[in-house]
Amino acid sequence: MHSHSEFETPPPGCPAHADGMRTSLYGPEFAADPHGFYERLRQHGPVAPVELAPGVEAELVTDYATALQVLQNPDTFARDSRRWRALNEGRVPLDSPVLPMMMFRPNCMFSDGADHLKLRQAVTDSFARLDMHRVSRHVDRVAAYLIDQFGFRGKADLISDYAQVLPLLVFNDLFGCPAELGDRLISAISNLFDGVDVERANEAMAGALFELVTLKRTSPGEDITSWLMQHPSQLSDEEMVHQLALLIGAGTEPVQNIIGNALRLLLSDEQFADGQQGAGVLVEDAINEVLWNSPPIANYATHYPVHDVEISGTKLAAGTPVLISFAAANADPSLSASRQTFSKRAHLAWGAGTHACPAKDPALLISIRAIEKLLNTLPDVELGVPADTLTWRPGPFHRALIALPARFTPVRHTRGEATPGGASGPRQGDPSAQQPKGRSQKGSWWSGFLNWWRV
């Protein structure tokens, strides 16, 4: 991909930068050593030219102060990607894998001004109605169910068997999904994340969400979907579907990465390894370490200058995608002296400014409870492979493990009779169970959980 000599770049502002030399943020090299890449990108100054996918060019902010400047100035740096000049001029491949994460949708992430205010208010007010004790209890139940699916085996992949599925099941409950609809939603979202038949998965997700909205119009409940619908901002069905799609996507991918990345630390880093006493504090420390050093969404929050602008010595043309590297900004060398004394909230993992993550509190609660429940149920859990052989999912936006193999002393089923075939037969959600052809193995997690829980 890149030879090292290619990174011996001229100083910022030097005309040699105009030759279109860009650093690729995709592929296994970047996934294996993002901080090495960020260090070399800093040689360009606070903003560096990158390529997010073949033919998709952007500027990446790697400096903490510059990141705050962009995040906190919505009048100059807009989020509406209909301003993306290269896309409007036909210079971006329409089948690019990064387009689904960057294309405009009428939700609060891609809106500005009054539209953003309206949509954002509906989301924050609805989240404010969540009963955190109910969320905690539900995380505990979902965690118990998932551990029950693999605990008897004495080994698991803590990403695909646990971290990936848990937030989806928790959100299904918070959004008030009935069984069959929830199964379809999880199957569609899993295929979207895994890049399986993305177009069909996108349609399936939208279809399931439209059905959910239609259902809640006639029979509302105590759930986020109903609260969004009842909000004074009077969202249309289309706005409802787009808010829900955003909340599910933005609620699951980061949470699964926090859980996975923190478990990796807790199971491999000596700093955390010997601390069985005070495990609760340990879990929060590990998550804080992740949010500083391996933020679950590493590079995102695409902004578009509304006019040509110069920031920290770099000229940016109107309509250029400008991404924030939360990972690089958190590791900004100019912070190193003061980082230790910073409050836990000084990192940028949740963003900042008017678009900061509205679901930070439930996301943290879900992550902490999920990890604690796993460690308490499987007290001798350990990595199944050497830590330095773990690999990361390629892609410019996230920091996510491909797998996290673990082993532990097998534990008995707690509710074996609740799943078809009993403890000895194939179990719902167990990847070794036979699945109908062409169906995601996650396709029946939600009804499986509901059946298990009813016993």
Side-chain angles (χ1 to χ4, degrees):
M1 180 83 72
H2 286 291
S3 65
H4 281 287
S5 61
E6 193 177 323
F7 287 104
E8 287 157 12
T9 49
C14 169
H17 285 306
D19 66 359
M21 188 176 70
R22 288 180 177 266
T23 302
S24 303
L25 298 193
Y26 51 92
E29 295 90 340
F30 173 69
D33 180 27
H35 282 288
F37 275 67
Y38 300 142
E39 219 167 290
R40 296 189 287 266
L41 285 169
R42 287 196 182 94
Q43 297 173 20
H44 289 268
V47 184
V50 295
E51 191 175 49
L52 303 176
V56 183
E57 299 184 345
E59 303 296 316
L60 188 72
V61 176
T62 58
D63 165 272
Y64 187 91
T66 308
L68 280 180
Q69 214 179 321
V70 173
L71 290 163
Q72 295 174 340
N73 279 295
D75 292 343
T76 305
F77 294 97
R79 295 294 292 268
D80 184 335
S81 53
R82 288 174 295 189
R83 295 176 178 273
W84 185 358
R85 182 177 286 174
L87 182 66
N88 295 338
E89 292 174 359
R91 292 186 281 123
V92 174
L94 291 180
D95 59 352
S96 172
V98 296
L99 270 193
M101 292 283 282
M102 296 177 71
M103 292 276 282
F104 174 78
R105 294 162 199 263
N107 64 33
C108 51
M109 187 188 283
F110 291 103
S111 56
D112 301 299
D115 285 342
H116 172 252
L117 201 61
K118 174 185 113 163
L119 298 170
R120 167 94 183 185
Q121 198 64 53
V123 168
T124 47
D125 290 350
S126 300
F127 271 112
R129 292 179 66 173
L130 275 180
D131 172 355
M132 289 303 196
H133 295 296
R134 172 188 152 187
V135 178
S136 279
R137 284 195 305 274
H138 188 61
V139 175
D140 286 351
R141 292 197 289 256
V142 166
Y145 164 67
L146 292 176
I147 295 166
D148 206 38
Q149 307 306 298
F150 61 72
F152 64 96
R153 297 203 300 256
K155 61 178 188 177
D157 170 9
L158 296 180
I159 302 298
S160 65
D161 293 334
Y162 193 68
Q164 233 178 16
V165 195
L166 182 135
L168 286 171
L169 292 177
V170 171
F171 274 84
N172 260 354
D173 179 66
L174 299 182
F175 286 58
C177 278
E180 188 268 341
L181 219 160
D183 283 342
R184 276 164 43 211
L185 202 51
I186 286 181
S187 183
I189 292 167
S190 302
N191 287 341
L192 273 179
F193 283 156
D194 299 339
V196 177
D197 202 349
V198 173
E199 211 168 305
R200 186 187 294 178
N202 221 342
E203 280 172 26
M205 180 174 82
L209 289 174
F210 259 113
E211 277 182 49
L212 180 62
V213 168
T214 307
L215 175 76
K216 295 294 170 183
R217 290 266 184 226
T218 52
S219 46
E222 287 297 300
D223 53 66
I224 289 174
T225 311
S226 304
W227 298 332
L228 267 175
M229 202 171 268
Q230 294 154 4
H231 193 267
S233 49
Q234 296 188 307
L235 304 186
S236 68
D237 282 6
E238 190 196 10
E239 287 172 326
M240 282 292 305
V241 167
H242 283 288
Q243 298 323 298
L244 291 172
L246 169 67
L247 295 178
I248 289 175
T252 48
E253 171 83 14
V255 170
Q256 89 175 40
N257 297 347
I258 291 174
I259 294 170
N261 296 356
L263 280 171
R264 180 188 74 92
L265 273 185
L266 288 160
L267 299 181
S268 67
D269 192 312
E270 287 175 6
Q271 176 188 347
F272 298 100
D274 357 297
Q276 280 312 319
Q277 73 293 352
V281 176
L282 259 182
V283 170
E284 290 192 45
D285 285 348
I287 287 176
N288 193 48
E289 176 94 359
V290 163
L291 293 172
W292 268 108
N293 298 319
S294 304
I297 301 299
N299 308 296
Y300 198 42
T302 313
H303 293 73
Y304 301 88
V306 297
H307 48 75
D308 294 359
V309 63
E310 186 173 315
I311 186 161
S312 306
T314 302
K315 291 187 169 68
L316 297 171
T320 302
V322 179
L323 276 73
I324 305 296
S325 178
F326 302 114
N330 283 349
D332 184 339
S334 68
L335 293 182
S336 56
S338 51
R339 251 175 65 138
Q340 303 313 316
T341 58
F342 267 175
S343 81
K344 288 182 177 179
R345 288 170 191 78
H347 62 71
L348 293 179
W350 303 111
T354 53
H355 281 270
C357 173
K360 182 183 72 150
D361 294 339
L364 271 176
L365 174 72
I366 293 165
S367 305
I368 292 168
R369 292 299 285 214
I371 295 169
E372 286 177 354
K373 183 78 177 174
L374 183 88
L375 298 180
N376 290 336
T377 312
L378 308 172
D380 66 347
V381 63
E382 60 181 14
L383 281 186
V385 297
D388 58 10
T389 64
L390 293 170
T391 50
W392 299 88
R393 243 169 60 204
F397 304 124
H398 50 243
R399 185 65 175 151
L401 286 163
I402 289 176
L404 188 61
R407 52 177 179 243
F408 43 84
T409 304
V411 290
R412 291 184 50 200
H413 296 312
T414 53
R415 300 175 184 229
E417 69 278 26
T419 43
S424 56
R427 302 170 57 72
Q428 225 152 349
D430 181 346
S432 64
Q434 284 299 300
Q435 293 289 341
K437 280 208 185 316
R439 181 172 178 192
S440 159
Q441 70 186 32
K442 301 189 177 90
S444 52
W445 278 115
W446 183 233
S447 51
F449 166 71
L450 293 175
N451 291 336
W452 178 88
W453 180 245
R454 282 191 196 104
V455 171

